[in-house]
Structures are given as structure tokens and as C-alpha cells.
């Protein structure tokens, strides 16, 4: 999922963050990808400003809702923060590991990745809930068939 935002300072460029659950975070300015800083802690990048200075920007909340932390102390909420009930729904497919074994665990993990994307969609809450239950049901059916055919 790509997000474009600006820092709350004058002269801030448009910062594009590609947030993928599979490949991680990638940050770019004007289509040019920036290199991640090699340091411990949250993933961070140096952002050049119009006045020639740079700002260190780190990111957190990759599961609950992406947030940018600027070295000046500013915090920029990039994605909507997921509520606790949404996180519970998102991680519910992991229960398939106990229901259908290894196949359920693998398909449950794939369903969690899909659910996190579904829950961030701009749909009405009822549609998001139905879609996550649909993902759970699909993962359960496929893992049940796999567990019965391969491991019976």
C-alpha cells in the first residue's frame, strides 16, 4: 500500500511510503528510492528538506497503523490506527493452526496478511467484518481439504 505525506515543516517534500506486509517499508522522494539508515531500532531514513537540511524519519506501527516519527519530535499518523476488535479479527485465522494443523497455520498466516489489508480498506465496518470472516472461512475450507487429502 502506498501512502504520500509531508512533514509538518515548511519546505517538506512529498514522501512516498510503500508499506507491504511481505517486503517491508520502502521510502522514496520524487520517484527516487531512498536508502534505509543502518542503525538499530525502528526503520529510519534521512529526508532532505528544501533549505538543505535533513530530517531523520523513522516509522512504527506497521501492524496497528503506520506512524512517522520525525527527529524534531513531530508525529505524523499515516494510516488509520486499527481498533483492538479489528486486530482480533485480523489474527483470528491463526487459530487454524490448532484446527487443521500445518496447512491451517500456513493458510491462516496468508489470511492474516489479507485481513490487515481488508481492515484498512475504506469500506463500511460491516463489509470489512464480513470480508474478514469470508477470508477465515476460505482459509479453513482449503486447509481442511489439504489436511484430509495429504495427512489422512
Amino acid at each position: 500500500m502506498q501512502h504520500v505525506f509531508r512533514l509538518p515543516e515548511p519546505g517538506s517534500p512529498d514522501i512516498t511510503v510503500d508499506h507491504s506486509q511481505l517486503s517491508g517499508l520502502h521510502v522514496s522522494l520524487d520517484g527516487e528510492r531512498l536508502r534505509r539508515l543502518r542503525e538499530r531500532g525502528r526503520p529510519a531514513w534521512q529526508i532532505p528538506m528544501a533549505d538543505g537540511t535533513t530530517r531523520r524519519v523513522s516509522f512504527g506501527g506497521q501492524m496497528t497503523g503506520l506512524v512517522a516519527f520525525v527527529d524534531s519530535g513531530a508525529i505524523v499518523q499515516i494510516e488509520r490506527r486499527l481498533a483492538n476488535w479489528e486486530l482480533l479479527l485480523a489474527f483470528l485465522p491463526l487459530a487454524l493452526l490448532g484446527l487443521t494443523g500445518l496447512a491451517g497455520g500456513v493458510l491462516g498466516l496468508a489470511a492474516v496478511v489479507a485481513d490487515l489489508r481488508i481492515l484498512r480498506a475504506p469500506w463500511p465496518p460491516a463489509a470489512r467484518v464480513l470480508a474478514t470472516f469470508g477470508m477465515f472461512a476460505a482459509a479453513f475450507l482449503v486447509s481442511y481439504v489439504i489436511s484430509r487429502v495429504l495427512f489422512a
Side-chain angles (χ1 to χ4, degrees):
M1 214 175 243
Q2 283 194 349
H3 305 283
V4 179
F5 73 100
R6 287 178 174 256
L7 300 178
E9 299 178 26
S12 171
D14 285 337
I15 303 165
T16 304
V17 179
D18 185 12
H19 178 218
S20 169
Q21 298 294 337
L22 300 176
S23 64
L25 291 171
H26 302 288
V27 177
S28 59
L29 295 175
D30 299 326
E32 184 179 331
R33 200 162 144 181
L34 299 177
R35 295 183 67 189
R36 180 178 167 183
L37 297 176
R38 297 288 176 205
E39 56 187 42
R40 299 179 106 176
R42 294 185 177 120
W45 285 262
Q46 287 284 47
I47 307 296
M49 303 297 279
D51 61 2
T53 62
T54 60
R55 294 286 178 264
R56 181 184 173 279
V57 178
S58 61
F59 296 92
Q62 294 183 41
M63 287 289 191
T64 58
L66 197 59
V67 178
F69 300 97
V70 186
D71 60 358
S72 64
I75 298 173
V76 180
Q77 188 76 37
I78 299 171
E79 289 180 325
R80 179 182 68 84
R81 184 165 172 75
L82 294 178
N84 288 339
W85 66 269
E86 291 173 312
L87 289 172
L88 180 67
L89 275 179
F91 286 94
L92 184 64
L94 290 180
L96 292 175
L97 178 63
L99 295 174
T100 57
L102 182 61
V106 171
L107 288 170
L109 187 59
V112 166
V113 171
D115 283 349
L116 287 171
R117 194 160 175 101
I118 288 169
L119 289 168
R120 287 193 175 96
W123 305 342
R128 293 193 314 254
V129 168
L130 287 174
T132 57
F133 279 123
M135 285 300 301
F136 180 82
F140 173 74
L141 289 174
V142 173
S143 65
Y144 182 79
V145 168
I146 289 172
S147 67
R148 293 295 171 220
V149 169
L150 294 179
F151 304 112

